């Protein structure tokens, strides 16, 4: 293949004017298109954003000035929520932490609070749709969607294992 290419190149030492003419035509088409585009924008009153002279439009500021605040403590809630411990398990809770006063803690009920697994089992027994179970678990226990879905899968797997 290389020898064929070398023989073809040796037979035709001059390449001709085809390449430079094609390049000139491409440059002429580009210049004509740019000129037509420029004239079109000028007729329509759409000046170039980098054009010379002042325009009637101002530049919107990208940053606003804010006062310095005393609240400079780091927020413990990250992009994916915060990690809290519920019923001895670490779960990711969506949303900001609730504002609770730890000094005022009233135990209104003597029995244990319902666990996520108990709530999911109760809703499965009632025949609630999957999306409704996910929504209620997220709202009631303040966990993320992924955690709610994982707990539903775990409860269903436990029920299947217990049934077989």
């Amino acid at each position: 293949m290389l020898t064929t290419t070398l023989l073809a190149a040796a037979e035709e030492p001059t390449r001709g004017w085809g390449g430079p003419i094609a390049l000139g035509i491409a440059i002429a088409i580009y210049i004509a298109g740019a000129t037509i585009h420029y004239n079109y924008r000028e007729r329509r009153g759409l000046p170039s954003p980098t054009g010379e002279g002042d325009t009637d439009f101002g530049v919107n500021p990208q940053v606003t000035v804010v006062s310095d605040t005393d609240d400079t403590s780091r927020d413990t809630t990250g992009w994916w929520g915060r990690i809290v411990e519920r019923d001895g398990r670490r779960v990711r809770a969506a949303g900001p932490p609730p504002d609770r006063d730890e000094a005022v803690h009233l135990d209104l009920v003597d029995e244990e609070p319902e666990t996520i697994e108990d709530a999911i089992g109760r809703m499965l027994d009632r025949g609630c749709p999957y999306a409704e179970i996910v929504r209620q678990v997220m709202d009631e226990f303040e966990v993320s969607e992924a955690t709610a879905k994982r707990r539903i899968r775990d409860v269903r797997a436990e029920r299947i294992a217990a049934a077989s």
Side-chain angles (χ1 to χ4, degrees):
M1 173 102 181
L2 182 62
T3 57
T4 308
T5 307
L6 290 174
L7 288 175
E11 290 178 7
E12 188 180 342
T14 59
R15 296 204 176 258
W17 289 95
I21 290 174
L23 186 60
I25 291 172
I27 291 172
I29 289 173
Y30 176 78
I31 291 173
T35 305
I36 290 170
H37 182 260
Y38 175 77
N39 289 334
Y40 171 76
R41 288 184 60 86
E42 286 297 316
R43 273 189 280 124
R44 303 277 281 172
L46 304 169
S48 172
T50 58
E52 296 177 13
D54 292 333
T55 61
D56 295 336
F57 305 106
V59 176
N60 292 335
Q62 297 293 320
V63 186
T64 57
V65 177
V66 294
S67 64
D68 191 29
T69 62
D70 294 334
D71 183 20
T72 58
S73 63
R74 181 176 172 86
D75 187 14
T76 58
T77 304
W79 282 98
W80 306 108
R82 67 188 193 289
I83 305 269
V84 296
E85 193 155 327
R86 298 211 191 271
D87 303 325
R89 291 178 141 175
R90 291 174 47 94
V91 295
R92 188 172 304 278
D99 294 330
R100 295 183 182 152
D101 189 5
E102 295 299 328
V104 179
H105 178 70
L106 302 175
D107 190 15
L108 300 177
V109 182
D110 292 336
E111 60 190 53
E112 286 187 20
E114 186 177 37
T115 65
I116 293 178
E117 288 80 8
D118 294 339
I120 292 171
R122 180 178 40 81
M123 288 184 271
L124 286 173
D125 291 339
R126 282 191 291 167
C128 289
Y130 180 77
E132 183 66 22
I133 296 173
V134 171
R135 187 191 63 77
Q136 284 185 7
V137 168
M138 287 173 59
D139 291 344
E140 186 176 340
F141 294 96
E142 297 178 353
V143 295
S144 67
E145 182 177 0
T147 301
K149 289 180 178 180
R150 184 172 48 252
R151 292 296 171 88
I152 293 170
R153 282 193 308 267
D154 294 344
V155 169
R156 285 181 175 171
E158 288 174 7
R159 286 183 168 208
I160 290 172
S164 57

